[in-house]
């Protein structure tokens, strides 16, 4: 079962990436992004893609330019996540055959992202949009649009976001912060997947 949860490994190093990625996958999270403002992120993405790319979705976050997209593609990444709605990034991502999840907050940004081919929408920071905001925006989005809440979401409020109609989550500091061991990340990931499964039961 592939859950719509993206683990955000901001600050991970290339030496840590594969053990931590393995712990996440073992716990049931098989979508992993390494933000490009991490130490040597392309090496981490390449290592993760080589180790797990055949059964996990590996890619980059904090992707701001079309050149960033090309760099990630050259490393074997398949997922591009951004904090903003940049049509150049979305277009380059789709041209490279990768999945695009741009950051949005407003209906205007949502429809612009979808118009340019986004595969899903990253509501960021989701605590500013709120569950009421997501519910209102979702009412006008095309049926089946993937919506991911990122920023201020976790096991304690999965059920609230589920009730508002969200389809997935991006989890950053709730699953990884620099210095955590693979075992510690795995334990956090297990708690996250258990709470997710309960909210979606």
């Amino acid at each position: 079962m592939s859950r719509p949860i993206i683990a955000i490994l901001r600050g991970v190093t290339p030496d840590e990436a594969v053990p931590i990625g393995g712990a996440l996958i073992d716990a049931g999270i098989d979508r992993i992004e390494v933000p490009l403002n991490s130490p040597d992120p392309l090496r981490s993405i390449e290592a993760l893609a080589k180790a797990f790319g055949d059964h996990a979705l590996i890619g980059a976050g904090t992707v701001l330019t079309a050149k960033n997209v090309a760099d990630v593609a050259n490393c074997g990444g398949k997922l591009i996540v951004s904090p903003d709605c940049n049509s150049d990034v979305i277009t380059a991502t789709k041209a490279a055959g990768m999945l695009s999840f741009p950051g949005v907050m407003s209906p205007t940004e949502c429809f612009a992202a979808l118009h340019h081919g986004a595969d899903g929408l990253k509501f960021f920071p989701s605590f500013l949009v709120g569950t009421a905001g997501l519910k209102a925006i979702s009412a006008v989005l095309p049926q089946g649009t993937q919506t991911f809440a990122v920023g201020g979401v976790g096991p304690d409020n999965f059920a609230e976001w589920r009730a508002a109609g969200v389809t997935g989550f991006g989890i950053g500091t709730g699953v990884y912060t620099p210095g955590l061991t693979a075992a510690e990340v795995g334990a956090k990931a297990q708690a996250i997947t258990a709470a997710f499964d309960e909210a979606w039961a």
Side-chain angles (χ1 to χ4, degrees):
M1 170 183 171
S2 180
R3 298 170 180 84
I5 301 172
I6 300 172
I8 303 166
L9 303 184
R10 189 178 308 281
V12 75
T13 66
D15 291 341
E16 301 171 303
V18 170
I20 288 173
L24 288 167
I25 292 167
D26 288 345
I29 297 177
D30 61 1
R31 306 177 190 202
I32 302 169
E33 68 161 88
V34 177
L36 292 184
N37 56 0
S38 301
D40 208 351
L42 297 176
R43 278 186 57 210
S44 293
I45 293 166
E46 183 174 28
L48 286 164
K50 285 182 177 178
F52 308 117
D54 59 341
H55 59 278
L57 181 59
I58 307 297
T62 317
V63 178
L64 302 177
T65 68
K67 182 183 183 305
N68 290 159
V69 174
D71 290 340
V72 175
N74 289 336
C75 292
K78 302 294 184 185
L79 170 69
I80 295 293
V81 183
S82 299
D84 64 340
C85 179
N86 183 321
S87 60
D88 291 341
V89 169
I90 300 169
T91 301
T93 300
K94 297 314 298 175
M98 303 163 76
L99 296 178
S100 170
F101 287 84
V104 297
M105 285 188 69
S106 69
T108 298
E109 290 176 331
C110 291
F111 282 99
L114 294 173
H115 174 75
H116 285 95
D119 295 281
L121 304 174
K122 168 189 171 180
F123 282 86
F124 173 79
S126 58
F127 62 82
L128 289 181
V129 178
T131 54
L134 174 72
K135 189 172 183 179
I137 294 172
S138 294
V140 299
L141 293 177
Q143 189 170 5
T145 299
Q146 293 187 59
T147 56
F148 280 66
V150 182
V153 295
D156 292 343
N157 59 16
F158 279 169
E160 296 170 35
W161 283 95
R162 167 63 168 162
V166 82
T167 63
F169 300 98
I171 308 292
T173 58
V175 73
Y176 173 79
T177 52
L180 289 182
T181 66
E184 289 168 332
V185 172
K188 287 178 176 287
Q190 287 173 358
I192 288 167
T193 55
F196 179 91
D197 292 347
E198 183 177 350
W200 257 253

